[in-house]
Amino acid sequence: MSESTYLAYDYPLLSVFWSMLWFFLWIMWFVLLFRVVVDIFRDDAMSGWAKAGWLVFTIVLPFLGVFVYIIARGKNMGRREVAQARAQQQAFDSYIRETAKGGGGTSSVDELAKLSEIRAKGDITDEEFARAKDLVLSGHGSGNSSTGVTAGSRH
C-alpha cells in the first residue's frame, strides 16, 4: 500500500473530530478578536488614547487583551451594536421618507403635459397657456393648481 493509504488508517475519526473542533475554535477566536477591535473604534465615549491603549493591548497580547476587554467592557458591547443598528435604520428610514416625499410631487414636464392637454381640449386660450407655461418654467408653479388656470375656466 502507498503512504496516502496508510494516512487514512493513522487518522481515526476522533482525531478528525478534534481537528475540526480546533479549527472551529480558531475561526471563532478571529471573529471575537475582530468584534473587539470594531467595538474599540465604535465606542464614542472612549478617548483616542484609551482606544489606542486597548488596541495595542489586544494586538501585543491578543488572548489576554481580548479577554480583559470582554471582562471590563463586554457588557456594553451589545448595547453599542444595537445603538449603531438603530441609528443606521433611522438614517435609512429618513432617506426613504425624503426620497419618497421629493419624488411624489409633479414635475414641470408633467405640468406642461397637462397644460397641453387642457389647451388641446380648448379649455384655455393660447395666451393663458403661455402665461401658465411661463409660471411653470420659472419655477413658481408647483402642484396641480400652480398654473392659476382651472380646467373649466372658459365654460
Side-chain angles (χ1 to χ4, degrees):
M1 288 187 161
S2 66
E3 287 187 29
S4 62
T5 307
Y6 286 120
L7 180 63
Y9 290 119
D10 292 340
Y11 205 65
L13 187 61
L14 188 59
S15 294
V16 170
F17 170 75
W18 282 112
S19 296
M20 288 174 50
L21 179 67
W22 282 112
F23 182 72
F24 175 75
L25 290 174
W26 183 69
I27 297 295
M28 289 304 299
W29 164 251
F30 279 108
V31 168
L32 183 61
L33 177 68
F34 290 131
R35 285 190 58 134
V36 166
V37 170
V38 166
D39 189 64
I40 289 171
F41 286 110
R42 179 186 296 148
D43 191 4
D44 291 333
M46 221 183 335
S47 70
W49 287 106
K51 288 180 184 184
W54 277 112
L55 193 60
V56 167
F57 190 37
T58 57
I59 290 174
V60 172
L61 299 170
F63 289 110
L64 185 62
V66 167
F67 291 134
V68 169
Y69 185 84
I70 292 206
I71 290 169
R73 302 185 48 84
K75 183 178 181 180
N76 293 326
M77 282 177 69
R79 291 181 186 149
R80 284 187 288 275
E81 189 171 346
V82 167
Q84 182 188 18
R86 282 187 184 144
Q88 286 177 339
Q89 185 66 39
Q90 288 173 350
F92 178 74
D93 290 345
S94 75
Y95 170 75
I96 293 295
R97 268 189 240 104
E98 290 299 318
T99 303
K101 188 187 306 181
T106 58
S107 68
S108 58
V109 175
D110 294 334
E111 290 185 33
L112 289 175
K114 288 178 187 178
L115 282 173
S116 294
E117 288 175 17
I118 294 171
R119 183 180 66 170
K121 289 180 188 177
D123 291 337
I124 59 173
T125 64
D126 289 337
E127 182 181 308
E128 290 171 330
F129 174 77
R131 254 191 327 210
K133 180 177 138 185
D134 289 339
L135 278 174
V136 169
L137 292 177
S138 69
H140 294 298
S142 62
N144 293 337
S145 63
S146 65
T147 59
V149 179
T150 59
S153 64
R154 288 204 47 181
H155 291 307

